[in-house]
Amino acid sequence: MESNLIIKDKQKNKLEKAFEILKTMASKPSGLIGLTIVLFHVVLALTSPYIAPYDYKAISPNTMLLAPSAEHWFGTDSLGRDVFTRTILGGRTALTVTFFGSLIALLWGGLLGIFCGLVGGKIDDVVMRVVDAFLSIPWILAMLLIVSLLGTSTEVLIPALGFFYGKGIVRVARAATHDVIAKDFIVSARARGHSNMSIIWNEIIPNVRDAILVEGAMRWSWMLLGFSSLSFLGFGVSPPTPDWGLMISNARGLMSFAYWSVIAPIVGLSSLIIGINLTADAFAKALGIDRSTKAPV
Amino acid sequence: MLLLILKRIGLGLITLFIVSLITFVGVEVLPGDACTTYLEREAYGAALDACIKRLGLDVPAYERYLDWASNVVRGDFGYSLSGEMPINEVLGPRVKNSLVLASVSILIGIPLAIVLGIITALWRDKLPDIMISTITIFSMTIPEFISATLLILIVAIWLGWLPGIVIIPSDATFYELLSNIILPVVAISMIMTAHMARMVRSSVIQVMASDYVQMAILKGVPYWKMVFRHVLPNALLPAINVVALTIAWLLGGVVVTEVVFNYPGLGRLVIESISNRDLPVVQALAIILASIYVGINLIADLMTLMLNPRLKSLQIRK
């Protein structure tokens, strides 16, 4: 009877499981708010090119620094461009770059961490020392160096961010692997003569997946923060691409009389980062993982 | 015990050695060397030759690394390209300025974080916790440049209480600095406090649920005596390490904050040297910032060891 239940549970549709996790996440107000914000931003990023009222790069001397009005909902910037248009378009690059960056970080960080946790010994020692060394170089210095030498195109930013934000995942994946590795089912898989690859794929990954996914969700918001900091410092996307970090840095000098051109991108970026954070927290709680005692590494 | 301390110091030094290798190899592998990136379009003929000669780029890479590393160990970072002056002279005042900013922020941030963390933990899920926790989530998730920009907009421009931009030379005196750093300090300690308060909170909650606290309650120990004698020492100990990691992680954010406020510290030097493509300075900064990170973590590890008798007999923690 019991084994029947387990088999049924295994057969349960993966989609159904994902839906259940979503339901648990949305059952708390903070999770619901987070999910709503993220969903809103994703939908906005997908539809904004079609609903934008103006051309984001149309410069016009007649409409410089206009205050918010019925025609220009969020006013215009110092080059006469519509702030509303640029704000709703401003998350597209950031979302795309950081989403794929997080995927890369998850993949290489997770696999290397699992591998290190499984093999242990000298290889593990050496890899962890190198990871520690990378962790001790401030992310901003490393990113700036890479970007200034290789350029700021998306093809550079995605792998660079993915690489730099993956090193912390190595540690998490390794620790999670250490937790499962002493369990009986691994020992019995070894006794059955399974190879390391098969043990990683069939036994370890299903058990450490949750911890790594939660870490990846958190890293997404940090990567977004890093990416927009780079744009803010002038090392991210290049103008005239609409981007929140870049918009804030351009409008900052004039904010004493044109505060609208800096407030709009601030609201856009802050809401997205807070949304992702709340979602990641709710996700962690829904999976039963407590990350509140962890340092942001 | 002594062996353990020596081991930790050794590990820290190995980490720094790898950092020096990474930065050196990184600069080597990435396209363009110090001279071509610095001279940009004028990188040909006599100017390029002179620069290569001056930096000694004509000798093999490993010899240059050994040369550079042995000088760094003696505290000499070589010459900067743009200012053509010793890097040590460039760094000196910047290190001092950043130290002032960081220590004031830490002095305000840590006690505030402990107090807030305890309040939120003891009144868990009650009004004070909900209010403080909401604020901390906001201030720790919003990027540094946004909170700094908002601070300038609200405090300096709309209210007109404080100057928004720091306009002091990098060799300003200590008192000149103090009157100028209020807003940068608020910006940095806001984020730091939020991170640490959250950790203190969950640490206190964990300890409050432990058996010995239950025991103390059943024994009839007065509430506040229990909090200060039994809960806090046990709750704050594990927080030390996490706090150290957080401070070190925030180094990156300090760079951004210094740029927003135009504060002449190490962070602005990072941006300046990268904009000027001054690779020797970038390498020096990488080593210095990594040393700070390793140093803070080492101090935290040692403090935990000293304060926690249980760890003394344990094996070295990975």
Side-chain angles (χ1 to χ4, degrees), chain A residues 22 33-51 87-100 220 224 244 268-269 271-273 275-277 279:
Chain A
L22 268 181
I33 296 171
L35 277 173
T36 318
I37 296 176
V38 173
L39 194 68
F40 172 76
H41 272 288
V42 171
V43 171
L44 190 66
L46 291 174
T47 55
S48 53
Y50 309 103
I51 57 172
T87 304
I88 60 172
L89 288 167
R92 286 169 59 86
T93 324
L95 266 175
T96 330
V97 168
T98 53
F99 180 74
F100 287 108
W220 186 16
L224 191 63
W244 292 325
L269 181 54
S271 64
L272 178 56
I273 290 191
I276 293 181
N277 258 289
T279 311

Side-chain angles (χ1 to χ4, degrees), chain A residues 62-239:
Chain A
N62 305 324
T63 57
M64 266 161 46
L65 295 171
L66 294 178
S69 62
E71 265 168 63
H72 297 281
W73 289 358
F74 293 171
T76 58
D77 68 3
S78 57
L79 294 173
R81 299 174 296 195
D82 181 49
V83 176
F84 177 72
T85 303
R86 293 180 64 79
T87 304
I88 60 172
L89 288 167
R92 286 169 59 86
T93 324
L95 266 175
T96 330
V97 168
T98 53
F99 180 74
F100 287 108
S102 312
L103 276 187
I104 292 179
L106 267 182
L107 268 181
W108 86 261
L111 288 179
L112 184 62
I114 291 172
F115 177 73
C116 283
L118 188 66
V119 297
K122 281 255 160 56
I123 302 175
D124 180 39
D125 277 349
V126 171
V127 172
M128 287 324 282
R129 283 279 80 73
V130 176
V131 167
D132 273 353
F134 267 111
L135 280 172
S136 62
I137 305 174
W139 55 269
I140 198 148
L141 186 69
M143 287 306 304
L144 286 172
L145 190 62
I146 293 177
V147 164
S148 70
L149 292 175
L150 290 179
T152 59
S153 62
T154 327
E155 297 85 51
V156 172
L157 279 172
I158 292 178
L161 285 166
F163 174 68
F164 249 85
Y165 283 74
K167 59 201 181 351
I169 298 184
V170 176
R171 277 194 157 181
V172 175
R174 179 174 169 268
T177 308
H178 276 176
D179 284 344
V180 281
I181 204 152
K183 297 248 169 80
D184 290 344
F185 55 86
I186 306 269
V187 180
S188 52
R190 280 241 164 91
R192 286 200 303 273
H194 284 262
S195 67
N196 267 355
M197 273 316 282
S198 144
I199 292 179
I200 289 181
W201 189 251
N202 294 318
E203 315 288 343
I204 297 180
I205 287 185
N207 283 292
V208 299
R209 192 186 49 204
D210 289 357
I212 298 178
L213 276 181
V214 165
E215 201 56 33
M218 262 350 262
R219 225 141 283 255
W220 186 16
S221 89
W222 294 338
M223 201 183 278
L224 191 63
L225 195 154
F227 173 81
S228 35
S229 301
L230 280 182
S231 314
F232 176 80
L233 294 171
F235 290 90
V237 296
S238 40

Side-chain angles (χ1 to χ4, degrees), chain B residues 54 65 152 182 235 265 288 290:
Chain B
R54 187 153 55 84
Y65 174 74
I152 295 179
I182 298 175
I288 289 177

Side-chain angles (χ1 to χ4, degrees), chain A residues 129 133-134 136 138 140-141 144 148-150 228-229 232-233 252 255-256 266 270 273-274 277 281 292-293 295-296, chain B residues 11 15 18-19 22 30-31 138 141 143 145-146 152 198 202 242 245 249 256 260 270-271 274 277 286 289-290 293:
Chain A
R129 283 279 80 73
F134 267 111
S136 62
I140 198 148
L141 186 69
L144 286 172
S148 70
L149 292 175
L150 290 179
S228 35
S229 301
F232 176 80
L233 294 171
R252 210 162 55 91
M255 67 181 170
S256 51
I266 280 183
S270 318
I273 290 191
I274 289 172
N277 258 289
D281 266 350
S292 53
T293 50
Chain B
L11 280 181
T15 309
I18 302 175
V19 168
I22 293 172
L30 293 174
F138 268 88
T141 45
F145 65 90
I146 286 190
I152 295 179
R198 251 168 86 93
S202 55
V242 190
L245 279 175
W249 182 70
V256 183
V260 177
V270 169
I271 305 294
I274 288 185
R277 301 175 159 256
L289 293 174
Y293 179 95

